[in-house]
Amino acid sequence: MRVLAAAGRLAEQQAARDDERTKAREMALRSIAAELAGVFVSTDRTLQRRIDEARDLVEHYPATMDAWEAGRITRGHVRVIQDTGCVVPAEVRGEFERAAIERCDGETPNRVRGALEHLAERLHPRPFSERHEQAAAGRCVRVQPGPDGMSDLIATLPTVIAEGVVDRLTRQAREIIDARPQADAAGADAGDAGEAGAGGAAAEADADADAPHAASFAADTRTMDQVRADVFADLLLAGAPALDPTADGDGNGALGAIRAKVQVVVSALTLTGEDDGPADLVGRSPIDAATARELAGDNTAWDRLLTHPVTGTVLECDTYQPTAAMRRLLRARDRHCRFPGCRQPAIRCEIDHT
C-alpha cells in the first residue's frame, strides 16, 4: 500500500509541469501503472484503481494504516473503515478513525459495518435529516438492459421504504411456497374422497373444483427469488398506487402501508424532537429522525432498553418456551444472527439453544 501510494505521488510530481495538458497528466499515471502492472501481473487500469485506493488510505487514514500494520485489524476492516469514512469531513476523520478501530476489535468486518455507518453519520457536521431530505429528492426508477432478454429494474428509494418492500415480498413469497405441501395433501385427500362410493359424489365435485388450484401449486417449483420477482411484477402491474388521488384516507402514504416487523433503535431525545440524530435500522443503515418518529407513532409495542452510555451494550430490557421478555432481550442485545459474519436481522432468526 505504501509503495503504491508513493507511485501515485511520483506520477503527480512528474505531471506537475503539465498543468495545462490534461492528457499528459493522465499519461504519467498510466505509464507508472503500466510498469507496476508487469510486476503485479495485472492490467494498468487495475493498478490505477489500486494506486488511488492506496493514496486515500495512506494519506487520509494514517491511524487505520498503523493499526493494520500492527495486526489490530484486518484488510476487511480497512475496507469497511474507508467505505464508511468517505462521508466524514477531514476535520473529524481522526476522531472517526480512533472510534472505528476500537469498534473493529473482536468483530468481523461485515458485522461492524452498520456501527461504523452510524458513527460516521453522527460525526458529520451537517444534520443527517437535512442530507436525507436532499437525497430523497433524487429518488427514481430506471431500467438497465441486460443480456438474454432480461433487464434490471432499479428503484432508488429511502431505506425504510426499500426494506419494507423487500420484507413484504419475502413474506408473501414464503406464504406461496409454504402452501405447496398443503395443496398436495388436499389433492390426495380429495382423491380418496372421490373413491368413497355413493357418498363420494359431492366430494368428487368439490375435488374437481379444487383440482386446478392444487395442480398449479403442485407444479410450482419456483425458488424464493423467483417467487419474489413474480410477486413484485404482479403487484406493480396489477396493484393500485399507495398515493391514489382518487381514493380517500391515504394518510402517511407509503410509510402507512408498511406492515413489516422492523427493529429500529432510536434515542428518547430523537423521539421527543430534542435531537435530530439518525436512528438505527437494525441490520441495515441509519434512517432519518422524521421517519423514525413516524414509524414510532404508529407502533403499538415498545421495549425500553437501558444501554451502556459508552459501549452501547444492552444492560436491561423491560416489559420451557422462551418468554416474550427473553425474545425481546435477545433481539435487542444481538440484533443479528450470532453466527460470525451473518447479518440476518434477529427478528427473522430462530431462537436456538444459545
Side-chain angles (χ1 to χ4, degrees), residues 206-264:
D206 291 341
D208 291 340
D210 293 339
H213 302 288
S216 64
F217 273 107
D220 187 2
T221 58
R222 294 174 295 173
T223 64
M224 173 66 78
D225 281 339
Q226 290 171 339
V227 175
R228 261 196 302 237
D230 293 343
V231 171
F232 175 75
D234 289 343
L235 289 175
L236 283 181
L237 293 174
L243 290 174
D244 186 354
T246 64
D248 296 327
D250 280 326
N252 51 8
L255 281 180
I258 292 180
R259 294 293 178 266
K261 189 169 185 180
V262 180
Q263 185 178 2
V264 178

Side-chain angles (χ1 to χ4, degrees), residues 87-89 91-92 121-127 131:
V87 301
V88 180
E91 58 268 22
V92 294
E121 298 296 351
R122 279 285 183 185
L123 291 176
H124 200 288
R126 189 179 173 200
R131 287 181 285 128

Side-chain angles (χ1 to χ4, degrees), residues 251-253 255-259 291-302:
N252 51 8
L255 281 180
I258 292 180
R259 294 293 178 266
T291 298
R293 294 189 195 107
E294 190 164 348
L295 290 174
D298 292 336
N299 198 28
T300 56
W302 284 89

Side-chain angles (χ1 to χ4, degrees), residues 55-126:
R55 288 198 66 182
D56 178 60
L57 176 61
V58 173
E59 297 173 9
H60 299 149
Y61 299 89
T64 301
M65 189 70 186
D66 292 341
W68 185 20
E69 284 185 319
R72 294 181 58 193
I73 58 178
T74 67
R75 178 68 178 109
H77 291 118
V78 173
R79 288 196 185 97
V80 172
I81 292 175
Q82 278 188 281
D83 291 345
T84 57
C86 63
V87 301
V88 180
E91 58 268 22
V92 294
R93 190 169 291 145
E95 181 182 354
F96 168 78
E97 272 195 283
R98 289 190 295 272
I101 293 168
E102 291 179 6
R103 294 281 183 92
C104 289
D105 187 22
E107 286 282 9
T108 63
N110 198 33
R111 188 179 285 265
V112 82
R113 179 180 290 273
L116 297 194
E117 287 176 347
H118 202 66
L119 174 65
E121 298 296 351
R122 279 285 183 185
L123 291 176
H124 200 288
R126 189 179 173 200

Side-chain angles (χ1 to χ4, degrees), residues 180-204:
R180 291 173 186 169
Q182 299 173 13
D184 293 342
D189 293 342
D192 294 340
E195 297 172 359
E204 187 173 356

Side-chain angles (χ1 to χ4, degrees), residues 32-55:
I32 291 178
E35 286 194 58
L36 290 175
V39 178
F40 284 93
V41 193
S42 182
T43 65
D44 61 329
R45 295 295 185 183
T46 299
L47 260 295
Q48 286 185 57
R49 177 179 54 79
R50 292 185 60 184
I51 287 173
D52 290 339
E53 292 175 353
R55 288 198 66 182

